[in-house]
Amino acid sequence: MKIGIAADHGGFALKEVIKTFLQSRQHEVTDFGATAYNDQDDYPDFVVPLARAIASGEVTRGIAVCGSGVGASIAANKVAGVRAALINDHFSAHQGVEDDDMNLLCLGGRVTGPEAAKELIIAFLNAKFTDAERHKRRLAKVKQLES
Ligand code: RB5
């Protein structure tokens, strides 16, 4: 799968772990930065380009990391076509895709440790949207908000 990743300084260390992890699982990874740790950088500068790449189809899914995952999810959801959520538990990591077609997983680099993050990522990437009518109906109502 083509996967985009992004992080500010709060998520930089976890993003590096995630990058290696995804590559070891044969995913094609595009890193939208940061490319180095800089405690003055701002999460929208990395998360928004990733979100736009998801919306355009350049990457299939994304993983964004900031300190808490909150800022990343707020910024990403401003981009039409992106369905981002801050995820801290296994159930939501897959159900968010199955029911809500989540295409961007947001994590807190100061909240979620590397091993837990890997498990959340596996659940996210293995999950598929069910295509159920009720979920499509709800998503259509959400999509209306974009126009
Ligand atoms: C940066 O210090 C921090 O505010 C940011 O990474 C993030 O947690 C915002 O939600």
Side-chain angles (χ1 to χ4, degrees):
M1 192 184 289
K2 285 187 180 177
I3 302 170
I5 58 173
D8 71 352
H9 58 283
F12 182 76
L14 182 57
K15 174 176 74 69
E16 295 304 295
V17 170
I18 290 169
K19 186 176 185 173
T20 304
F21 175 66
L22 292 172
Q23 287 169 338
S24 76
R25 295 174 74 90
Q26 277 69 56
H27 292 293
E28 192 180 322
V29 181
T30 304
D31 188 345
F32 289 85
T35 55
Y37 180 83
N38 171 4
D39 67 5
Q40 296 302 307
D41 67 12
D42 303 325
Y43 59 82
D45 294 336
F46 313 108
V47 171
V48 173
L50 166 59
R52 289 187 174 135
I54 295 168
S56 73
E58 180 187 334
V59 297
T60 311
R61 290 193 196 172
I63 300 167
V65 195
C66 64
S68 62
V70 172
S73 57
I74 289 172
N77 278 316
K78 300 291 182 192
V79 177
V82 171
R83 294 171 296 279
L86 167 58
I87 297 295
N88 290 309
D89 69 278
H90 186 270
F91 175 76
S92 303
H94 63 84
Q95 203 230 27
V97 177
E98 292 156 358
D99 289 14
D100 310 313
D101 207 11
M102 174 174 66
N103 52 17
L104 176 57
L105 177 79
C106 299
L107 297 170
R110 296 171 180 156
V111 179
T112 303
E115 297 311 315
K118 289 175 192 173
E119 296 203 10
L120 296 177
I121 288 166
I122 290 170
F124 168 62
L125 295 178
N126 284 344
K128 289 182 177 51
F129 181 56
T130 59
D131 233 20
E133 278 312 314
R134 67 185 185 285
H135 296 315
K136 289 199 281 192
R137 182 182 71 237
R138 291 162 192 161
L139 280 170
K141 292 180 180 181
V142 173
K143 192 159 185 56
Q144 276 179 3
L145 299 169
E146 294 179 345
S147 52

